């Protein structure tokens, strides 16, 4: 069960675009898909029963194309299954369920200039930015960091298409992006966008802070999703239900497996949709939505990423 | 820096004490008329690259001109009446400054600009409610709904059901 209407789509093509990345083309079983805005993502539901996963993926196709969506999935060996499932189990012709597109990473269109930093598969939201920025004649530059032996999808196409506006840095060739040099001396009204591993997001934010670039000009998207932790028990005070949350399952997933409907958009601790009231137990907050004061009060948590700090939690559900 | 009021009407700006932004490489101080002491003392304490300007009745063109060379790493500090603060802040936003790059000192007077929802005229120097609209003459109820774009408060015909029966005059602040 999901609180927002899901759509059924069929996988019509799968392409190995880099050693670790597969791209999936999705078409609706009937009718048309909705157009989306640059930077939007969908939550893909795959598998069944015990082996059911929901992961958020950026849409990387042209936002104006309502015949198909494309997503790219990087194989995460240490992942809790979703990306492995997409890589190993999903075949052309299979059906998947997706949420309607939602956008937590739209460009700041009032910016005078856009500087995009992509790390590995983090290129995907920017692939939807590019056609719209070109159409709007917005000034932008793309800095794309990857390892050609793992994640360098689309670098050739982008270089060809964008020329100087695209700079590629292949770590496997010893090429590194000098983030400070890119960020220094940008004109007033420049906005910076980061999609990639946490280390890249941190590096760009720290550089901005160092240079005195306003925090409001820095935007990032991190779809790290839930990370495993200690197993714990959760009691739902209104229904009296008690559930066990395994080490590699998120609390949100455990609730969903018990058919408890929780709103969600990002499944990454960013959007605030999944907030739950907590009546007992220590929380290990891992989200970036609640304020420090809210985290300290211990009364609310984001079950998509956060967990119990102890052995047991009681939720007011 | 402004924060929204948690209780009551949300859109009336709250002005908290202004500090220098220690991260900034350039600081521009703009006062509407005379440079007030608070702004002067910020300016004096500032060690970095800085500039100060007082714009007695500055035109929009002059204000924009002062922002053309403004760097991405700069902070703008404003002092003056509330409509002035927000007028410059609006230009700053147009020029590409982020809201965290613009710091507003508490307005030097409690006079408001009032936006009439009937004729769209802005009436200046308002300190009490109801207040006669300088455009259509309606007696306007002054609200705390503030437009950051127009630097003015929203207002509407007081006691519209019976406009001969005016509510008692009250001071606004
Ligand atoms: S789903 Fe977005 S914060 Fe949990």
């Amino acid at each position: 069960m999901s609180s927002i209407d899901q759509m059924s789509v069929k996988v019509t093509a799968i392409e190995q675009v880099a050693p670790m990345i597969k791209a999936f083309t999705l078409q609706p079983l009937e009718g048309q898909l909705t157009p989306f805005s640059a930077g939007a993502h969908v939550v893909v539901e795959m598998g069944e029963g015990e082996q059911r996963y929901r992961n958020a993926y950026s849409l990387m196709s042209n936002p104006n194309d309502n015949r198909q969506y494309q997503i790219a999935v990087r194989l995460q060996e240490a992942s809790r299954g979703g990306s492995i499932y997409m890589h190993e189990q999903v075949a052309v012709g299979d059906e998947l369920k997706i949420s309607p597109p939602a956008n937590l990473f739209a460009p700041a269109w009032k910016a005078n200039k856009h500087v995009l930093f992509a790390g590995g598969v983090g290129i995907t939201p920017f692939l939807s930015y590019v056609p719209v920025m070109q159409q709007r004649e917005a000034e932008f530059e793309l800095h794309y960091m990857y390892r050609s032996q793992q994640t360098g999808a689309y670098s050739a196409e982008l270089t060809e298409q964008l020329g100087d506006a695209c700079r590629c840095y292949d770590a496997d060739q010893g090429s590194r992006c000098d983030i400070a040099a890119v960020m220094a001396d940008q004109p007033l009204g420049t906005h910076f966008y980061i999609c990639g591993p946490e280390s890249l997001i941190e590096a760009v934010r720290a550089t901005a802070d160092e240079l005195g670039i306003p925090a409001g000009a820095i935007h990032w998207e991190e779809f790290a999703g839930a990370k495993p932790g200690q197993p714990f028990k959760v009691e739902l005070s209104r229904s009296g239900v008690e559930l066990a949350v395994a080490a590699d399952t998120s609390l949100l997933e455990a609730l969903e497996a018990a058919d408890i409907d929780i709103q969600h958009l990002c499944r990454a601790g960013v959007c605030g949709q999944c907030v739950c009231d907590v009546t007992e137990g220590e929380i290990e907050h891992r989200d970036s939505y609640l304020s420090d004061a809210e985290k300290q009060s211990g009364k609310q948590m984001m079950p998509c990423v956060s967990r119990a700090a102890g052995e047991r939690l009681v939720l007011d559900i | 820096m402004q924060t929204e009021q948690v209780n009551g009407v949300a859109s009336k700006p709250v002005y908290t004490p202004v500090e220098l932004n220690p991260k900034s490489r350039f600081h521009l101080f703009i006062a509407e008329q005379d440079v007030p002491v608070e702004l002067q003392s910020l300016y004096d304490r500032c060690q970095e690259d800085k500039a100060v300007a007082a714009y007695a009745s500055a035109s929009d063109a002059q204000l924009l001109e002062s922002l053309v060379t403004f760097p991405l790493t700069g902070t703008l500090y404003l002092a003056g009446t509330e409509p002035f603060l927000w007028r410059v802040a609006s230009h700053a936003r147009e020029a590409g400054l982020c809201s965290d790059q613009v710091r507003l000192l508490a307005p030097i007077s409690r006079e408001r600009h009032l936006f009439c929802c009937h004729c769209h005229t802005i009436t200046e120097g308002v300190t009490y409610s109801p207040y006669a609209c300088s455009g259509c003459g309606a007696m306007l109820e002054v609200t705390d709904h503030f437009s950051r774009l127009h630097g003015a408060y929203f207002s509407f015909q007081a006691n519209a059901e019976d406009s001969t029966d005016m509510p008692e005059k009250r001071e606004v602040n």
Side-chain angles (χ1 to χ4, degrees), chain A residues 228-232 245-249 284 286 307-310:
Chain A
Q230 295 296 317
F232 61 97
V245 183
D248 60 356
T249 304
E284 184 187 330
R286 296 178 173 184
R307 308 179 66 85

Side-chain angles (χ1 to χ4, degrees), chain A residues 41 43 104 252 262-275 287-290 301-306:
Chain A
H41 71 270
V43 174
L104 300 167
L252 178 60
I262 305 277
Q263 304 244 11
H264 60 268
L265 273 184
C266 69
R267 304 179 79 86
V270 184
C271 72
Q273 289 285 311
C274 68
V275 66
D287 65 282
S288 38
Y289 176 76
L290 293 174
M301 74 182 295
M302 314 310 290
C304 59
V305 290
S306 298

Side-chain angles (χ1 to χ4, degrees), chain A residues 109-110 130-139:
Chain A
W109 287 119
K110 292 207 63 126
V130 166
V132 186
M133 290 194 169
Q134 286 181 317
Q135 193 185 338
R136 289 175 169 241
E137 298 180 2
E139 187 182 352

Side-chain angles (χ1 to χ4, degrees), chain A residues 7 35 47 85 87 127 148 151 158 170 195 211 277 280 304 307:
Chain A
M7 309 184 272
Y85 188 96
H87 270 251
L127 293 174
S148 51
T151 58
L158 285 166
D170 179 359
C195 186
L211 293 172
D277 290 336
E280 259 178 69
C304 59
R307 308 179 66 85

